[in-house]
């Protein structure tokens, strides 16, 4: 089953002389439980692609279906709720709320949705991420690796079908990077979540099911075992 389907996606920024075609007719699908990496040079369109799929940016043309739902045919209000329930985000710079504790940060998406956090689910996530003894800490009291684990917890708490990660290991050392990838892999297996991750780290592309490359707004699917083709 396709959790994500992108069809002929185009994104053009600006107008007149300063136009940038950031995405040129991008099409691909992802299945339930699949973990894919997007690679490509800086400025090639990776973040634009992820931001469109996450409805943080609006495509110029083309279609994006998440779990069969046409994301941009929804009214904005519905799209916001749909995104909150079905798409989890992990960013390079964590984006935690500095005034809230670890526990409160993780539960934040549920509160936005007026849903009561299930105690067992929170405990399970804290345990899985090795944050049980840090639950009352503020982000400023944590290392970068710990902060990213909190951000992953926040992405997982709603059990979204799709997780989008924009260079989640960009600010981490190699040990913490491997750990973050391990946690994402574990999550994708456990709940059959689909993960799409931008990375510059070639060491990490070996751990995913599939690699896609974006080059000057054009996406090429390198499939599995992409390391042999990347040289
Ligand atoms: P990457 O994530 O691969 O570094 P981006 O998706 O950030 O690439 O950028 C792709 C192209 O689109 C670049 O030329 C960038 O300058 C341009 N771009 C991205 N966002 C904007 C924006 N909000 N306004 C104008 N141009 C943008
Ligand atoms: P990344 O490290 O993901 O490549 P960038 O520093 O390229 O991030 O861009 C950060 C954000 O700034 C992007 O999400 C994009 O929306 C915006 N951006 C990038 N390029 C431009 C641009 N030329 N003009 C306006 N906004 C831009």
């Amino acid at each position: 089953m396709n959790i994500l389907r992108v069809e002929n996606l185009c994104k053009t920024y600006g107008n007149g002389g300063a136009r940038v075609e950031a995405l040129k007719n991008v099409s691909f699908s992802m299945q339930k439980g699949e973990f894919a990496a997007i690679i490509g040079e800086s400025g090639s369109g990776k973040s634009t692609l992820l931001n469109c799929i996450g409805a943080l940016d609006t495509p110029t043309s083309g279609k994006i279906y998440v779990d069969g739902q046409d994301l941009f045919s929804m009214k904005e209000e519905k799209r916001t709720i749909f995104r909150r329930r079905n798409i989890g985000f992990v960013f390079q710079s964590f984006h935690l709320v500095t005034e809230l504790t670890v526990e409160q940060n993780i539960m934040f998406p549920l509160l936005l949705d007026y849903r009561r956090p299930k105690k067992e689910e929170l405990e399970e996530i804290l345990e899985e991420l090795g944050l049980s003894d840090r639950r009352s800490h503020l982000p400023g009291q944590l290392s970068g690796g710990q902060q990213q684990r909190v951000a992953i917890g926040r992405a997982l708490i709603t059990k979204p079908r799709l997780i989008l990660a924009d260079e989640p290991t960009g600010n981490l050392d190699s040990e913490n990077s491997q750990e973050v990838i391990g946690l994402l892999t574990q999550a994708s297996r456990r709940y059959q979540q689909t993960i799409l991750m931008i990375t510059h780290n070639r060491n990490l592309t070996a751990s995913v099911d599939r690699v896609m490359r974006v080059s000057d707004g054009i996406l090429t699917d390198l499939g599995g075992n992409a390391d042999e083709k990347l040289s």
Side-chain angles (χ1 to χ4, degrees), residues 209-226:
D209 302 321
R210 175 178 168 197
V211 178
M212 289 174 273
R213 177 193 273 146
V214 180
S215 178
D216 199 15
I218 296 169
L219 182 132
T220 310
D221 196 340
L222 303 175
N225 299 318

Side-chain angles (χ1 to χ4, degrees), residues 13 20 22 41-49 198:
Y13 288 110
V20 177
E41 312 219 317
S42 187
S44 58
K46 304 182 298 299
S47 293
T48 302
L49 176 59
I198 295 176

Side-chain angles (χ1 to χ4, degrees), residues 12-21:
T12 304
Y13 288 110
N15 47 46
R19 277 159 56 100
V20 177
E21 284 187 73

Side-chain angles (χ1 to χ4, degrees), residues 136-177:
S136 304
H137 286 56
L138 295 171
Q141 300 172 299
L142 303 175
S143 71
Q146 289 169 332
Q147 289 185 55
Q148 193 58 299
R149 282 186 267 148
V150 177
I152 290 171
R154 183 184 52 190
L156 294 176
I157 192 82
T158 58
K159 297 205 177 74
R161 290 169 200 283
L162 177 64
I163 295 176
L164 302 175
D166 193 346
E167 295 214 46
T169 65
N171 285 330
L172 304 178
D173 61 25
S174 61
E175 196 179 318
N176 277 305
S177 297

Side-chain angles (χ1 to χ4, degrees), residues 60-202:
T60 304
S61 63
K63 295 274 189 195
I64 298 171
Y65 298 90
V66 175
D67 202 22
Q69 302 259 1
D70 183 346
L71 208 52
F72 289 92
S73 74
M74 293 175 200
K75 292 219 173 82
E76 190 170 350
E77 197 179 334
K78 186 176 171 213
R79 185 161 54 243
T80 303
I81 294 168
F82 180 85
R83 171 177 61 201
R84 204 182 284 149
R85 294 189 180 157
N86 295 286
I87 305 176
F89 293 92
V90 182
F91 299 97
Q92 175 171 358
S93 50
F94 320 138
H95 288 316
L96 300 175
V97 183
T98 51
E99 296 83 4
L100 297 182
T101 64
V102 165
E103 207 171 72
Q104 290 166 334
N105 266 287
I106 291 174
M107 292 190 297
F108 198 61
L110 294 180
L111 300 177
L112 285 177
D113 215 15
Y114 304 105
R115 277 155 76 190
R116 212 162 351 146
K118 288 212 183 75
K119 181 111 177 74
E120 317 83 71
E121 285 174 9
L122 175 68
E123 292 306 323
E124 186 180 290
I125 282 178
L126 286 170
E127 179 80 17
E128 186 162 28
L129 299 176
L131 292 167
S132 298
D133 59 347
R134 296 279 186 278
R135 61 173 66 216
S136 304
H137 286 56
L138 295 171
Q141 300 172 299
L142 303 175
S143 71
Q146 289 169 332
Q147 289 185 55
Q148 193 58 299
R149 282 186 267 148
V150 177
I152 290 171
R154 183 184 52 190
L156 294 176
I157 192 82
T158 58
K159 297 205 177 74
R161 290 169 200 283
L162 177 64
I163 295 176
L164 302 175
D166 193 346
E167 295 214 46
T169 65
N171 285 330
L172 304 178
D173 61 25
S174 61
E175 196 179 318
N176 277 305
S177 297
Q178 286 297 345
E179 193 181 89
V180 160
I181 297 307
L183 291 166
L184 286 172
T185 308
Q186 205 175 313
S188 66
R189 300 272 140 78
R190 161 102 52 98
Y191 294 115
Q192 282 280 295
Q193 283 161 317
T194 303
I195 304 180
L196 185 57
M197 170 182 76
I198 295 176
T199 184
H200 274 128
N201 189 337
R202 283 284 307 279

